[in-house]
Amino acid sequence: MGHREDLLEGAKYCLLEKGFVRTTARDIVKESGTNLASIGYHYGSKDALLVEAYVALLEPMGEGFERAVGVAGAPGSGGLERFRETWANVIRSIPESRAIWMLTLEVVTQGERLAGVRDLLAKAQVEGRRGLAAMFTGIEESELPDDLVETEGRFYTTLLNGLMVQWLFDEPSATDAEQLTEGLRRVMARVSEG
């Protein structure tokens, strides 16, 4: 591996061990076996490196979420069964991804201290919405219309963030896939009545 890859691996390790706020450039250099100048040369800043490392940690989670797609229905279907199966798969991944969820919560709660990181991650949220919309609808990301990403993608992101907080705060009382699906079914029924 070259310095760029070593830095990325070192930053991923530091994020999981220390989080965003407590990770220093020196920590990353120590874990990666590189030097301080390498961070600026390859990534521009420590914040940019941490964001890239965080996104790299998230990618396998998204792939894990998508395992439900084959179970939940044919491409293009967005029914309640797909909704339930996808959320069940997301929830199954929470224990093994707890450290990454904690990082996400850190960005939310420590945003003022992480202004550079927060700004870079805000730009990445669009891709996150696109990925969630694709997963729940079964439509390829490249074929998703922007209005679907901006509506349904935002809806799924909001549910995911709320679910994450519940599971991190009090796992025994956190909402499960069945409860989410039944809640959606009831909301849809109430809307169609009125």
Side-chain angles (χ1 to χ4, degrees), residues 15-16 19-20 54 57 98-107:
L15 282 174
L16 293 173
F20 281 101
Y54 175 67
L57 288 168
R98 187 170 179 81
I100 298 167
W101 289 115
M102 294 297 288
L103 284 172
T104 302
L105 195 56
E106 181 183 5
V107 172

Side-chain angles (χ1 to χ4, degrees), residues 24-140:
T24 67
R26 291 191 187 286
D27 293 330
I28 297 168
V29 167
K30 179 182 173 190
E31 289 303 324
S32 66
T34 61
N35 58 63
L36 286 171
S38 293
I39 294 173
Y41 178 78
H42 290 290
Y43 292 94
S45 70
K46 178 192 83 163
D47 285 349
L49 169 56
L50 288 176
V51 167
E52 191 159 332
Y54 175 67
V55 170
L57 288 168
L58 287 176
E59 286 172 354
M61 281 179 50
E63 293 165 6
F65 294 171
E66 291 173 356
R67 288 184 206 123
V69 172
V71 174
S77 70
L80 285 176
E81 181 62 18
R82 181 185 199 97
F83 183 89
R84 187 190 65 72
E85 286 294 326
T86 303
W87 282 118
N89 211 41
V90 168
I91 290 167
R92 276 191 293 277
S93 77
I94 291 174
E96 66 195 40
S97 305
R98 187 170 179 81
I100 298 167
W101 289 115
M102 294 297 288
L103 284 172
T104 302
L105 195 56
E106 181 183 5
V107 172
V108 172
T109 59
Q110 300 290 320
E112 295 304 314
R113 294 183 182 151
L114 299 167
V117 170
R118 187 186 61 204
D119 293 344
L120 292 168
L121 286 174
K123 294 175 184 172
Q125 273 193 358
V126 174
E127 290 308 308
R129 286 193 295 266
R130 183 171 294 282
L132 284 171
M135 186 171 47
F136 279 95
T137 63
I139 301 170
E140 289 291 324

